[in-house]
């Protein structure tokens, strides 16, 4: 795939970015009635990095991602993406991001190609056919371009959501458990493209329980547990604060104390 045009688009979108931070979360609280899902979470992610968001089940990862994407409203707190406030400048945020949920809702009666056409028209992507061909090729979905979403396997549905997310060259990519359901070749491709996109200035926030699979691509780490942020910073800072250079899994257990 070629990334020269992506670089130009990503850089042109950064006029509002004066902090060097792609994501800023300050004192974020979110409750669902009785359940407190986010209990004063604060963290930031520098532009052009891949940050992994980890935590035990129910830690608040999906709630945080969905609030950053403007799908959920925070109970309180300040959240900004690409330099724009997610509540008061929601449209400006949505124009610059892509979100792939863990179980992507597709349009069951649209074909694979029609999904890409739809996204291209929503985001006004001019060279969408060429880019779509490249994406389908790299995701090994060429033979499924005329298949309806309802005819796809779980992994294929995930791939379509990823292709749609990549098509408009988002400035910030939110991927919620993107590796689950993908075959080894697709996992390798997705990781490679995340690194390529970050190298062009895009930012990736990826949540995953598959620590060993994201370890080699992420430079930043955010650890949540029971709605609180236990750590946010570079992986190197995590190692320094813990006094060891163990694997991401070891860092995770040291921070959450959840091994038992
Ligand atoms: P997992 O790793 O299991 O996907 P998570 O870290 O993504 O978990 P969230 O999905 O954000 O966690 O959930 C955080 C808390 O909020 C949990 O206690 C969950 O039960 C609760 N919660 C999430 N969505 C809702 C909802 N729509 N209504 C009520 N409670 C919710």
């Amino acid at each position: 795939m070629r990334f020269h045009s992506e670089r130009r688009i990503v850089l042109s979108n950064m006029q509002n970015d004066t902090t060097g931070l792609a994501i800023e979360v300050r004192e974020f609280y979110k409750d669902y009635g009785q359940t407190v899902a986010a209990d004063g979470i604060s963290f930031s992610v520098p532009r052009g990095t891949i940050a992994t968001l980890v935590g035990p089940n129910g830690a608040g990862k999906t709630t945080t991602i969905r609030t950053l994407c403007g799908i959920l409203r925070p109970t309180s707190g300040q959240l900004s993406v690409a330099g724009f406030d997610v509540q008061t400048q929601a449209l400006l945020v949505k124009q610059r991001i892509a979100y792939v949920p863990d179980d992507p809702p597709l349009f069951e009666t649209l074909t694979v190609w029609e999904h890409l056409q739809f996204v291209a028209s929503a985001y006004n992507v001019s060279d969408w056919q060429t880019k779509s061909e490249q994406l389908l090729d790299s995701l090994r979905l060429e033979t499924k371009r005329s298949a309806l979403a309802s005819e796809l396997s779980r992994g294929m549905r995930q791939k379509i959501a990823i292709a749609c997310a990549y098509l408009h060259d988002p400035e910030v990519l939110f991927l919620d458990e993107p590796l689950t359901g993908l075959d080894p070749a697709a996992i390798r491709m997705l990781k490679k493209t995340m690194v390529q996109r970050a190298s062009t200035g895009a930012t990736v926030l990826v949540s995953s329980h598959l620590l060993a699979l994201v370890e080699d691509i992420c430079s930043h780490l955010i650890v949540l547990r029971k709605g609180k942020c236990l750590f946010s910073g570079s992986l190197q800072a995590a190692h320094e604060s813990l006094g060891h250079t163990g694997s991401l899994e070891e860092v995770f257990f040291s921070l959450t104390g959840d091994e038992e």
Side-chain angles (χ1 to χ4, degrees):
M1 282 200 283
R2 281 193 220 99
F3 289 91
H4 306 294
S5 59
E6 288 161 17
R7 182 179 183 83
R8 199 171 56 245
I9 291 163
V10 167
L11 292 177
S12 71
N13 280 347
M14 289 178 177
Q15 290 152 359
N16 202 47
D17 176 13
T18 53
T19 61
L21 297 175
I23 300 169
E24 276 188 280
V25 177
R26 298 273 169 263
E27 289 296 305
F28 164 48
Y29 290 84
K30 173 71 185 175
D31 62 61
Y32 300 98
Q34 298 292 316
T35 306
V36 178
D39 193 6
I41 293 173
S42 297
F43 67 87
S44 58
V45 178
R47 182 168 63 79
T49 58
I50 300 175
T52 185
L53 181 61
V54 301
N57 290 135
K61 303 180 295 296
T62 297
T63 299
T64 302
I65 290 179
R66 287 169 68 85
T67 310
L68 282 165
C69 294
I71 298 164
L72 296 174
R73 290 183 75 78
T75 303
S76 64
Q78 278 87 49
L79 298 92
S80 67
V81 175
F84 298 101
D85 185 276
V86 299
Q87 286 199 88
T88 58
Q89 298 171 301
L91 185 59
L92 292 169
V93 170
K94 284 176 185 164
Q95 286 168 342
R96 289 163 172 79
I97 66 168
Y99 167 51
V100 180
D102 54 354
D103 186 13
L106 301 180
F107 300 102
E108 301 300 332
T109 54
L110 291 190
T111 65
V112 167
W113 192 252
E114 285 165 347
H115 274 83
L116 293 160
Q117 190 172 11
F118 175 75
V119 171
S121 118
Y123 286 91
N124 205 15
V125 182
S126 51
D127 53 344
W128 72 273
Q129 284 103 333
T130 312
K131 290 170 83 173
S132 297
E133 299 281 5
Q134 289 169 344
L135 284 164
L136 292 187
D137 182 51
S138 63
L139 289 163
R140 299 184 182 171
L141 275 177
E142 318 89 308
T143 59
K144 294 289 180 184
R145 59 184 289 158
S146 301
L148 296 173
S150 58
E151 299 166 343
L152 300 175
S153 72
R154 181 192 145 95
M156 288 172 186
R157 294 172 68 89
Q158 191 79 4
K159 288 180 183 180
I160 297 308
I162 291 165
C164 289
Y166 276 4
L167 188 60
H168 65 97
D169 298 323
E171 195 174 322
V172 185
L173 255 168
F174 294 94
L175 305 172
D176 197 353
E177 286 290 346
L179 304 178
T180 313
L182 292 185
D183 61 38
I187 289 174
R188 181 175 284 189
M189 177 269 172
L190 181 59
K191 287 171 64 175
K192 192 171 151 199
T193 52
M194 279 192 240
V195 171
Q196 284 169 322
R197 287 189 180 241
S199 74
T200 68
T203 306
V204 184
L205 181 65
V206 54
S207 88
S208 185
H209 291 300
L210 305 173
L211 304 180
L213 290 182
V214 291
E215 175 159 33
D216 58 335
I217 55 167
C218 71
S219 61
H220 281 67
L221 177 67
I222 299 131
V223 183
L224 303 184
R225 185 169 180 275
K226 294 183 179 173
K228 294 194 183 291
C229 184
L230 301 182
F231 176 85
S232 76
S234 67
L235 210 45
Q236 191 185 343
H239 284 140
E240 283 166 10
S241 75
L242 293 169
H244 67 69
T245 54
S247 65
L248 185 55
E249 188 179 80
E250 285 166 312
V251 169
F252 177 86
F253 287 130
S254 298
L255 289 165
T256 62
D258 262 9
E259 193 157 9
E260 298 305 315

